[in-house]
């Protein structure tokens, strides 16, 4: 055993976490999930394949995120014995104009973080609440915030602008881009997995419940399908993606919707779930015989290819495409549907390699190399945290 770092990804009803021991490299020795918080909480911690701790509480047990974090910290400290938990690293979705890179947090930062809540209502308040809870539970424990927007601060100013009056840009109403920890991890893998792509023009497609694509040139983000918030861009599990602003005006005028109604509709009831009326889960939709399921998946691929075409313009051409996250790593059907629509850009998939979920899935003749690389956002968080506490 050795001293360790805890990574935390707190959501509305769940907390995902991982323990990394500081050996010669960072070694993940435990992973865990606290879910169903607010209903019937369930906590599961695994060390490798072994279940190290499992606890269930009854319906409506009065436990909140802070109580479950306390359970996690108690387990971690017992598990480490004489070794120390030296820091916690948090995934935080929005860094706004304030947080340009991973940051060693102080309680004073909570005010800056709270200001960003509105910009990512599905994630940010829960990310921030976990930081606040840890300051209360373990005031001496260093905490590092790792922001999904940071990777995109290399985007040229043009790619960050919205065509609104200038004062809004100055206030921070601009395009940011998200999933930065995932893109940073994928970029860090390229020298080993596909060396010639690390100095070229690539699109990384992070396709999970939240989905986006990033245009990366010479290892740096130059454009992203997500913008001011993580609502923009691709069709997602329950989020609408790019939508004309006029639709919002229509919904406000004709349906009398206010900001809360729109937040609920656009973040939680739209996307694959809204279009199919069945599920937000790609596996369920692929297995469904209903035409609405196919329509939702077709729209997902259509929008993805259309937006990839925009990123190709930002890159001035395309040398490589990388798929990652739940759908990107596991769904040959969706990868094929997107790539077929991008054949004009020189993408040719090997149907055998794609069906077998191999790491390299383009044909030898394909002008654009296509790879599948599993992402690891937690490792990025642990790496930044280690760096900031000088361990
Ligand atoms: P999150 O954004 O919540 O981290 P994930 O990256 O875990 O999401 O991706 C979740 C998505 O991945 C879901 O739509 C799920 O259906 C899809 N997915 C996971 N495994 C498969 C699979 N074997 N085939 C198709 N889709 C899959």
């Amino acid at each position: 055993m050795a001293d360790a770092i805890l990574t935390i990804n707190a959501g509305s009803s769940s907390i995902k976490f991982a323990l990394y021991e500081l050996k010669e490299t960072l070694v993940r020795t435990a992973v865990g999930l606290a879910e169903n918080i607010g209903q019937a909480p369930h906590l599961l911690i695994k060390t490798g394949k072994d279940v190290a701790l499992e606890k269930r509480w009854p319906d409506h047990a009065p436990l909140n995120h802070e109580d479950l974090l306390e359970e996690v910290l108690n387990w971690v400290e017992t598990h480490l014995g004489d070794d120390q938990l030296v820091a916690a690293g948090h995934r935080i979705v929005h860094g706004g104009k304030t947080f340009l890179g991973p940051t060693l947090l102080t309680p004073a930062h909570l005010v800056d973080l709270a200001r960003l809540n509105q910009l990512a209502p599905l994630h940010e308040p829960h990310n921030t609440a976990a930081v606040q809870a840890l300051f209360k539970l373990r005031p001496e424990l260093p905490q590092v915030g790792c922001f999904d927007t940071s990777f995109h601060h290399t985007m040229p100013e043009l790619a960050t602008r919205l065509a609104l009056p200038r004062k809004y840009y100055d206030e921070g109403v601009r395009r940011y881009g998200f999933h930065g920890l995932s893109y940073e991890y994928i970029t860090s893998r390229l020298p080993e997995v596909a060396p010639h792509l690390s100095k070229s023009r690539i699109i990384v497609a992070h396709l999970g419940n939240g989905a986006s694509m990033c245009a990366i040139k010479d290892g740096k983000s130059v454009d992203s399908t997500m913008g001011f918030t993580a609502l923009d861009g691709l069709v997602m599990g329950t989020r609408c993606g790019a939508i004309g602003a006029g639709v919002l005006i229509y919904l406000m005028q004709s349906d009398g919707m206010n900001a809360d109604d729109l937040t609920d509709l656009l973040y939680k009831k739209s996307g694959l779930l809204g279009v199919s009326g069945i599920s937000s889960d790609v596996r369920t939709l692929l297995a469904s015989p209903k035409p609405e399921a196919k329509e939702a998946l077709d729209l997902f691929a259509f929008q993805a290819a259309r937006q990839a075409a925009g990123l190709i313009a930002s890159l001035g051409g395309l040398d490589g495409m990388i798929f990652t996250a739940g759908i990107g790593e596991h769904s040959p059907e969706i990868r094929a549907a997107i790539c077929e629509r991008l054949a004009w850009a020189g993408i040719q998939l090997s149907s055998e390699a794609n069906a077998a979920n191999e790491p390299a899935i383009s044909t030898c003749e394909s002008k654009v190399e296509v790879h599948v690389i599993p992402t690891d956002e937690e490792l990025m968080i642990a790496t930044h945290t280690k760096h900031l506490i000088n361990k």
Side-chain angles (χ1 to χ4, degrees):
M1 210 97 57
D3 287 349
I5 286 170
L6 183 67
T7 65
I8 296 173
N9 184 352
S12 61
S13 65
S14 71
I15 304 168
K16 286 184 203 158
F17 52 93
L19 192 68
Y20 285 85
E21 289 187 19
L22 294 159
K23 301 196 168 160
E24 261 170 47
T25 55
L26 282 164
V27 182
R28 175 157 55 197
T29 52
V31 292
L33 175 68
E35 58 184 348
N36 240 355
I37 306 171
Q39 296 173 38
H42 175 219
L43 173 64
L44 180 66
I45 303 179
K46 284 177 142 186
T47 46
K49 287 196 174 130
D50 300 326
V51 173
L53 177 76
E54 182 160 26
K55 277 189 168 186
R56 285 180 194 280
W57 288 266
D59 262 357
H60 308 297
L63 265 81
N64 57 23
H65 284 63
E66 189 180 311
D67 300 321
L68 282 147
L69 278 171
E70 171 99 77
E71 292 273 346
V72 173
L73 288 169
N74 288 341
W75 179 84
V76 165
E77 285 158 359
T78 310
H79 174 74
L80 289 175
D82 290 338
D83 294 305
Q84 299 286 313
L85 179 65
V86 292
H90 296 262
R91 179 190 182 193
I92 302 182
V93 166
H94 215 308
K97 284 202 308 180
T98 317
F99 298 98
L100 303 186
T103 305
L104 190 58
L105 298 171
T106 66
H109 284 121
L110 288 170
V111 180
D112 300 317
L113 288 170
R115 280 201 202 103
L116 298 169
N117 282 350
Q118 260 185 328
L119 300 187
L122 225 52
H123 301 100
E124 195 88 355
H126 312 293
N127 303 157
T128 308
V131 176
Q132 190 161 19
L134 244 66
F135 275 132
K136 192 167 155 203
L137 294 168
R138 298 290 185 276
E140 304 303 323
L141 185 69
Q143 296 192 62
V144 172
C146 299
F147 298 87
D148 267 315
T149 42
S150 302
F151 183 71
H152 301 287
H153 281 291
T154 50
M155 290 202 305
E157 189 186 314
L158 211 50
T160 68
R161 280 213 174 260
L162 297 166
L164 290 170
R166 303 189 74 81
K167 75 171 186 116
Y168 292 107
Y169 187 85
D170 301 337
E171 274 175 28
V173 184
R174 41 156 285 182
R175 302 184 69 250
Y176 290 94
F178 297 85
H179 291 132
L181 293 163
S182 176
Y183 296 129
E184 194 180 1
Y185 174 77
I186 299 292
T187 308
S188 77
R189 296 284 295 128
L190 287 178
E192 198 183 313
V193 177
H196 43 290
L197 289 187
S198 56
K199 289 262 166 233
S200 61
R201 302 161 301 179
I202 62 167
I203 291 176
V204 181
H206 176 109
L207 309 179
N209 280 317
S212 72
M213 289 180 173
C214 181
I216 298 176
K217 197 171 187 177
D218 300 335
K220 295 203 166 69
S221 170
V222 294
D223 202 356
S224 160
T225 57
M226 277 183 170
F228 178 53
T229 67
L231 193 57
D232 203 354
L234 308 187
V235 172
M236 296 174 235
T238 60
R239 286 175 247 167
C240 60
I243 187 170
V247 177
L248 309 191
I249 298 171
Y250 169 83
L251 292 171
M252 290 165 83
Q253 288 180 334
S254 78
D255 277 16
M257 287 195 171
N258 62 24
D260 287 343
D261 299 330
L262 286 174
T263 301
D264 190 52
L265 177 77
L266 305 177
Y267 277 95
K268 296 185 181 163
K269 295 186 176 148
S270 299
L272 294 173
L273 174 66
V275 176
S276 69
I278 300 169
S279 172
S280 63
D281 193 305
V282 165
R283 283 166 294 195
T284 310
L285 296 179
L286 284 168
S288 169
K290 296 199 173 155
E292 293 86 349
K294 183 174 177 324
E295 224 165 65
L297 293 173
D298 285 350
L299 183 63
F300 182 89
F302 171 78
Q303 283 274 28
R306 184 201 235 178
Q307 302 219 8
L311 297 184
I312 295 172
S314 298
L315 287 165
L318 188 67
D319 304 305
M321 176 131 189
I322 317 284
F323 285 94
T324 192
I327 303 165
E329 290 166 28
H330 302 292
S331 177
E333 296 91 339
I334 301 289
R335 291 193 301 254
I338 295 171
C339 289
E340 270 163 29
R341 290 182 177 275
L342 292 170
W344 59 269
I347 295 184
Q348 236 182 39
L349 278 197
S350 151
S351 38
E352 296 78 28
N354 184 41
N357 281 316
E358 283 180 17
I361 57 172
S362 43
T363 62
C364 300
E365 296 78 37
S366 181
K367 285 194 196 125
V368 175
E369 260 186 47
V370 188
H371 294 261
V372 178
I373 304 179
T375 195
D376 194 342
E377 290 152 296
E378 281 85 16
L379 181 61
M380 261 356 286
I381 297 170
T383 305
H384 287 308
T385 304
K386 175 175 183 284
H387 183 69
L388 278 194
I389 60 164
N390 294 317
K391 288 282 179 183

